[in-house]
Amino acid sequence: MEIVKNLHSYLAYVVLIILILAVANALIGWFSKKEFRFEKDLRISLFALIMSHIQLLIGLILYFVSTNGFKAVQTLGMGGLNSAARLLAVEHPFINIIAIVLITIGWSKHKKTDDSTAKFKRIAIFYGLGLLAILSRIPWGQWF
């Protein structure tokens, strides 16, 4: 279980960097009215989507195996969790699932248009909202 926990922790840095890169790339493309290119823009966005989904799957495994996840809710009940335990057992997984849904919606919506500006706009908005949601529920105290 320690391997899964470390993988989830270290992969989070990679996912954040890739998401920041994807959002920045989309914002630059959107505001500078660039052409959406397969070689760069699509691959950055797709890589961010794939890495965030992999991180979600690892997180779900950790949630059901770790004592800080589902077992904490079963043992203590929702009312028995302090703020740190509630962050790990409820808020972090719930908000991050919503974040991945937003990122997935952004990916799906960008595919439905041929206009480059609209593609960049949809990726920037949905990936950006997903990134903000993820950043809001990271257990920062455990990272440093």
Side-chain angles (χ1 to χ4, degrees):
M1 191 193 63
E2 195 65 30
I3 293 171
V4 176
K5 183 179 176 185
N6 286 334
L7 180 61
H8 185 67
S9 295
Y10 291 119
L11 190 59
Y13 292 108
V14 175
V15 171
L16 285 176
I17 290 168
I18 296 298
L19 274 174
I20 290 168
L21 180 64
V23 171
N25 181 61
L27 287 170
I28 290 168
W30 179 16
F31 291 122
S32 64
K33 308 266 191 249
K34 289 186 178 181
E35 187 67 30
F36 192 85
R37 295 185 0 239
F38 176 79
E39 303 82 31
K40 177 187 161 216
D41 305 315
L42 181 94
R43 289 183 186 203
I44 290 172
S45 302
L46 180 59
F47 190 58
L49 175 82
I50 292 168
M51 292 304 294
S52 61
H53 278 85
I54 291 171
Q55 178 71 346
L56 174 66
L57 290 175
I58 294 168
L60 287 173
I61 292 168
L62 190 60
Y63 180 75
F64 288 107
V65 202
S66 170
T67 57
N68 292 331
F70 188 64
K71 290 180 184 174
V73 175
Q74 283 181 321
T75 306
L76 301 171
M78 291 298 284
L81 298 172
N82 62 22
S83 64
R86 188 181 64 245
L87 174 65
L88 290 176
V90 180
E91 297 169 4
H92 178 73
F94 181 72
I95 294 298
N96 285 336
I97 289 170
I98 291 173
I100 303 304
V101 167
L102 287 169
I103 291 167
T104 305
I105 290 170
W107 175 259
S108 296
K109 285 192 167 289
H110 108 277
K111 292 190 313 181
K112 294 180 181 177
T113 184
D114 293 329
D115 180 44
S116 290
T117 303
K119 284 181 176 287
F120 282 123
K121 179 180 178 181
R122 290 172 180 175
I123 290 173
I125 290 171
F126 285 98
Y127 279 44
L129 289 172
L131 177 62
L132 287 175
I134 290 170
L135 290 172
S136 76
R137 290 298 147 222
I138 289 177
W140 293 106
Q142 293 181 358
W143 270 32
F144 302 109

